[in-house]
Amino acid sequence: MRAIWKGAVSFGLVSVPVKLYAATESHDVSFRQVHAKDGGRIKYQRVCSLDGEEVAYADIAKGYETEDGEMVILDEDDLAGLPSTSSREIAVEKFVPREQIDPMLFEKSYYLEPEKTGAKPYALLRQALEAADRMAVVTIALRQRTSIAVLRVRDDVIVLQTMMWPDEVRTPDFSVDVGEVKDAEVQMATMLVDTLAGDFDPAEFEDDYAGAVEALVKAKIDGGEVKRTPTTTKSSGEVVDLLAALQKSVAAAKEARGEDDGDASDSDSDSDSDSGKGKGKGKGAAKKSAKKSAKKKAS
């Protein structure tokens, strides 16, 4: 993992130098919009909705739309005057009981790792949180904006979880009124809850959609159902050495120009037979490639 922020946790007169790491990553599956005929990616132009003309990136400004639909243009000087902070301090405001924090407020999770000089005060803060069975409400500056967050302990590591501001949590605009609920119905529902009671184990759950997409893509790759374009830069996942990857690229470039790629194909065959391990590792490589691609697209 790569640290995305460095600073210090301060509580009282104690300062704990720490590094911040993203604790989660999305494995969401996303798709590109492409031309069905040749697999070319669909490009979008920046077009003004009023005059229909394409707008250069240098001419694009930030605008704030009011409730009545009017647009207020903000320039760089306006934005520079907004409150911002570059503080490297995670300031503990107070320690609160866990049950007072609604999980709906939680946003993103990060791991805190102590610097070498902060190992002892880090352990002190961790033990204090566990002994008190409380969370520390803190403020932290991320991306030049102050955020509210909490510190809690998970598997001997202090976790920082940023939170939504109170006014960002919506209030439901509907009411639930189903009339009278009979005692017998409540008793039966309670029995059902008891029957399905158990401990939570995240390993019992699996993203079957992502797995099905990976299997489908793998099957199409194995069946040769791949659209090659002049800008193709990735292999099918079957090539595991640099020489074979280069040969594949040459063959693809020749094919795009309508040239004969027989020589390159022969070289590919020789490379595959010589490596021996290419076929066996291809399946795993394809799966990893698909996962990495999904992560990048989701972000």
Side-chain angles (χ1 to χ4, degrees):
M1 294 190 292
R2 182 173 61 88
I4 62 173
W5 187 91
K6 291 184 179 182
V9 179
S10 63
F11 61 110
L13 299 178
V14 179
S15 181
V16 188
V18 294
K19 298 177 183 178
L20 200 69
Y21 300 89
T24 61
E25 57 185 3
S26 175
H27 288 175
D28 240 0
V29 175
S30 61
F31 301 99
R32 299 281 190 184
Q33 288 190 321
V34 298
H35 188 189
K37 178 181 178 181
D38 54 23
R41 293 183 182 179
I42 303 300
K43 294 184 177 181
Y44 293 92
Q45 296 177 318
R46 296 179 290 269
V47 177
C48 177
S49 61
L50 298 180
D51 58 25
E53 295 183 1
E54 185 174 358
V55 182
Y57 187 79
D59 295 329
I60 295 178
K62 287 182 170 62
Y64 182 92
E65 187 173 5
T66 63
E67 292 183 359
D68 57 5
E70 293 185 336
M71 195 65 67
V72 179
I73 307 299
L74 303 176
D75 58 26
E76 294 300 325
D77 291 336
D78 295 325
L79 298 174
L82 294 176
S84 65
T85 178
S86 58
S87 171
R88 290 289 172 177
E89 180 185 40
I90 301 175
V92 175
E93 305 295 337
K94 60 177 63 177
F95 295 92
V96 303
R98 291 172 173 268
E99 60 272 13
Q100 290 185 1
I101 306 240
D102 189 338
M104 186 178 287
L105 290 170
F106 292 142
E107 191 175 17
K108 294 183 179 180
S109 302
Y110 302 90
Y111 290 129
L112 289 183
E113 179 192 23
E115 299 278 9
K116 289 183 178 180
T117 57
K120 188 171 182 178
Y122 181 95
L124 174 64
L125 175 59
R126 181 185 62 198
Q127 292 177 17
L129 287 171
E130 289 183 314
D133 193 26
R134 289 174 176 255
M135 292 184 180
V137 176
V138 303
T139 52
I140 179 175
L142 293 174
R143 295 177 292 277
Q144 286 74 52
R145 290 188 59 185
T146 298
S147 297
I148 186 172
V150 296
L151 300 181
R152 65 182 183 86
V153 179
R154 181 180 186 273
D155 297 334
D156 293 332
V157 175
I158 297 177
V159 174
L160 180 144
Q161 289 185 276
T162 57
M163 296 195 296
M164 311 286 289
W165 293 101
D167 61 357
E168 293 179 315
V169 177
R170 301 171 66 184
T171 301
D173 57 0
F174 59 88
S175 59
V176 180
D177 184 9
V178 296
E180 183 182 357
V181 179
K182 298 178 181 179
D183 292 341
E185 294 171 334
V186 174
Q187 184 177 4
M188 188 59 66
T190 303
M191 289 177 60
L192 177 59
V193 171
D194 291 338
T195 302
L196 296 177
D199 296 322
F200 176 65
D201 181 4
E204 295 177 356
F205 302 89
E206 183 179 356
D207 185 356
D208 55 352
Y209 181 81
V213 171
E214 289 181 9
L216 176 61
V217 171
K218 176 68 167 59
K220 285 185 172 289
I221 291 175
D222 291 342
E225 298 182 54
V226 178
K227 296 290 186 182
R228 293 288 183 180
T229 67
T231 57
T232 296
T233 58
K234 293 183 178 180
S235 71
S236 65
E238 299 250 333
V239 182
V240 295
D241 64 278
L242 178 59
L243 177 60
L246 292 172
Q247 291 169 338
K248 290 275 188 181
S249 300
V250 171
K254 288 185 176 181
E255 182 181 352
R257 293 197 303 266
E259 298 180 11
D260 181 16
D261 62 343
D263 294 340
S265 297
D266 292 340
S267 298
D268 288 346
S269 300
D270 293 340
S271 176
D272 287 344
S273 61
D274 289 343
S275 62
K277 300 179 182 179
K279 294 292 182 180
K281 291 185 178 179
K283 295 180 180 179
K287 187 172 183 180
K288 291 179 181 177
S289 177
K291 283 188 176 180
K292 289 181 180 177
S293 179
K295 295 176 192 173
K296 291 181 179 178
K297 295 172 189 172
S299 62

